Amino acid sequence: HTLSHTQSFFRCITLYTYITFQWDGANMAYTTGIAVSLAVFTWFYTSLAGLPASITTDKFQGVLMFLLVFIVLIAACAKPENRITKEEFAVASNWTTDGLTAAVTLFIAILSAEMFNQGTWQRVWAAESVPAMRKGFLWGSFLVFLLMMFFGIMGMISYANDPLAFDTFQKFYYLAFFELLRPLANFWHVVVLIVVTALAASSVDSLQTAIAAIFSSDFVRLSGQKGGSGQDWKIRLITRILLVLINIPAVIMSSKRYDVISLFLVADLVCATAVLPVYLGLMTKDWGFIAAPTELGALLGMIGGIATVLVIGALYNFNEAVNPITGETIATGPFSYFWLTNSYQCALCGIETMITFIVTPLMGGFFCLFFSKLDVMIRGERARQPIFKFGENDVAGQYILDAEDTSESSSDSIKHEVNEDSAVPDVSVENVSDTAEGAAVSAGKDDFEDEEAAY
């Protein structure tokens, strides 16, 4: 849960940082006004409506995204200022080693982070059915792929127009497609600003509801109460206050003008230290010599992942992270390597960064299995019992040490009852043992009638 909060927090900072770049037609004005408005407005309507409001804005986000694509496409094709030659595009789109390392790094980084994205897990557990979920993810992935291809090509066209400005940080890579809009009239600049702000709001409200779901599910377990009890109003109040406290430093940090990609990578690297220790927990039975991970083993595996990052930083003699845009020192000391300022060309570039993202999750998984085996050898069956309990209902029972008992053990660990009036699974609070299922407490009721009880 701590990792989920960290990932959501840094994504909030990233979105606020991105949206505070406003183009006034000649210069990049920098303000936190929009970020403050965005934080307050999304907090307000997600506090009232919760996950259903976030899902509704996601639908509008899809429509607005195609509007943005249309505007950028017209600007790129119709304006003579954006025309480039075949040779210029070849320079911008040529195959490079930096591009390969960045692609490998990006794939591992996003995979690690998205496994902890509670906005995604909420939608998994709020899906109408498993086939509907699979269909949604399939079409969503396909459309996202097309969008990424489109904006990638637009970015290359923008770079081909003025490569020197991008290489010397007079223009920013992650704002490249905005440069294509420069020749348009101010009216279109206003339209794009509104659209981009709305897109950011849709993403922020997903993070807001995700953080609320994590907090609320933990408070429900700590209180020992079921959703719908008389203590719900206290949980909702505490959760909303915590959301405000999280948004304040996120908005403040966005004014520091950190590189957007670097902000993503910090959260991604933190998640990479724990992605295998956490998800190896899906192993419910021993595989020969390999023991099913224990809670202590998973915890030590995460610590091992963090230690791996520190060791890699020490091997590279890295002791200071410097903002490549402003030249300011971001952090010093061994933990400064988490900022991964290995390359001045881009945050994703550099062999060192790629190696870090390859080695870190693998070592985290190795330490998890290694310490889990030692834990079982030393403590025996006591190693299977929870160490950290968030409520009286946290019990063991997830391990399937005998293959013949698979079906029985699985049915005892998590019980799902399907309501006759709805295809949405009804998940009881006392059987919820992880964050994703905690989100289902709010999303799994008929027509979201009990959503307020969980939030």
Side-chain angles (χ1 to χ4, degrees):
H1 289 203
T2 301
L3 286 166
S4 297
H5 288 314
T6 301
Q7 192 246 24
S8 298
F9 175 69
F10 273 95
R11 284 185 181 271
C12 281
I13 299 173
T14 303
L15 287 167
Y16 294 149
T17 302
Y18 192 87
I19 203 63
T20 51
F21 278 94
Q22 297 182 64
W23 184 48
D24 63 5
N27 300 296
M28 298 295 284
Y30 199 74
T31 177
T32 58
I34 294 182
V36 173
S37 302
L38 202 64
V40 172
F41 185 64
T42 54
W43 174 87
F44 175 74
Y45 71 74
T46 54
S47 295
L48 292 178
L51 181 61
S54 178
I55 293 177
T56 300
T57 60
D58 287 345
K59 297 177 182 178
F60 285 104
Q61 185 183 43
V63 176
L64 291 175
M65 181 60 75
F66 282 105
L67 175 61
L68 182 61
V69 167
F70 177 76
I71 295 174
V72 174
L73 187 62
I74 294 299
C77 298
K79 291 296 180 177
E81 295 90 336
N82 292 326
R83 293 177 183 174
I84 59 174
T85 64
K86 183 178 180 181
E87 291 74 19
E88 289 173 332
F89 184 78
V91 173
S93 61
N94 65 324
W95 178 273
T96 64
T97 303
D98 285 331
L100 175 62
T101 57
V104 173
T105 301
L106 185 64
F107 178 82
I108 300 174
I110 291 179
L111 179 62
S112 300
E114 290 305 309
M115 297 299 285
F116 292 97
N117 188 342
Q118 294 308 310
T120 302
W121 283 112
Q122 275 190 305
R123 283 147 182 77
V124 169
W125 290 96
E128 181 184 52
S129 62
V130 173
M133 178 194 69
R134 291 173 177 169
K135 182 179 179 180
F137 272 90
L138 178 63
W139 279 105
S141 300
F142 176 69
L143 292 176
V144 168
F145 172 78
L146 294 181
L147 284 173
M148 293 301 99
M149 287 289 292
F150 172 79
F151 283 109
I153 293 172
M154 292 300 104
M156 288 187 285
I157 293 175
S158 181
Y159 176 85
N161 267 318
D162 195 358
L164 181 60
F166 285 100
D167 292 340
T168 56
F169 300 109
Q170 298 176 39
K171 298 178 180 179
F172 302 105
Y173 291 106
Y174 52 86
L175 297 174
F177 78 94
F178 281 113
E179 295 297 327
L180 296 176
L181 305 176
R182 188 181 292 273
L184 297 179
N186 285 334
F187 168 78
W188 292 108
H189 298 164
V190 175
V191 171
V192 170
L193 179 61
I194 294 173
V195 170
V196 172
T197 303
L199 292 174
S202 179
S203 298
V204 169
D205 67 36
S206 296
L207 297 173
Q208 303 270 29
T209 55
I211 296 173
I214 298 171
F215 277 132
S216 60
S217 63
D218 282 345
F219 288 142
V220 168
R221 293 166 66 190
L222 286 170
S223 65
Q225 303 291 327
K226 294 184 178 182
S229 68
Q231 302 297 318
D232 288 340
W233 70 271
K234 294 181 181 179
I235 293 176
R236 290 198 298 270
L237 178 61
I238 295 173
T239 299
R240 290 167 182 172
I241 293 174
L242 289 174
L243 271 177
V244 172
L245 296 178
I246 288 176
N247 274 279
I248 291 174
V251 173
I252 293 175
M253 291 186 68
S254 70
S255 66
K256 302 298 183 182
R257 201 175 184 180
Y258 294 125
D259 180 24
V260 172
I261 304 298
S262 296
L263 287 171
F264 268 115
L265 284 182
V266 172
D268 295 348
L269 186 56
V270 171
C271 292
T273 64
V275 62
L276 284 183
V278 169
Y279 282 91
L280 282 173
L282 295 174
M283 291 175 54
T284 56
K285 61 180 179 180
D286 295 345
W287 288 359
F289 180 76
I290 301 176
T294 65
E295 190 170 295
L296 178 60
L299 176 62
L300 294 177
M302 297 178 199
I303 297 175
I306 296 174
T308 300
V309 176
L310 299 180
V311 170
I312 293 175
L315 291 176
Y316 290 140
N317 295 319
F318 193 98
N319 54 20
E320 184 181 56
V322 178
N323 189 325
I325 298 176
T326 64
E328 298 177 359
T329 300
I330 303 174
T332 58
F335 284 93
S336 63
Y337 187 68
F338 274 88
W339 284 96
L340 293 174
T341 54
N342 291 313
S343 173
Y344 283 92
Q345 184 174 3
C346 71
L348 289 169
C349 299
I351 297 293
E352 298 89 348
T353 300
M354 182 186 70
I355 292 175
T356 301
F357 269 101
I358 293 175
V359 174
T360 297
L362 293 178
M363 293 304 297
F366 168 77
F367 283 123
C368 171
L369 296 176
F370 176 76
F371 286 116
S372 294
K373 183 66 176 180
L374 290 181
D375 193 19
V376 172
M377 292 173 62
I378 296 172
R379 296 198 297 147
E381 287 305 309
R382 289 189 300 116
R384 308 293 185 183
Q385 302 299 320
I387 298 176
F388 306 101
K389 293 187 178 182
F390 286 89
E392 60 182 11
N393 297 308
D394 281 1
V395 296
Q398 302 298 321
Y399 293 98
I400 306 174
L401 301 180
D402 187 349
E404 296 179 357
D405 297 333
T406 300
S407 59
E408 182 179 354
S409 301
S410 299
S411 62
D412 289 339
S413 61
I414 303 176
K415 297 179 180 178
H416 287 213
E417 295 180 1
V418 179
N419 192 305
E420 295 179 355
D421 298 329
S422 174
V424 182
D426 187 6
V427 184
S428 57
V429 176
E430 62 265 28
N431 291 321
V432 175
S433 61
D434 59 40
T435 304
E437 293 172 14
V441 175
S442 62
K445 302 294 183 180
D446 294 338
D447 299 326
F448 301 103
E449 291 177 356
D450 295 333
E451 186 267 13
E452 276 293 322
Y455 283 117

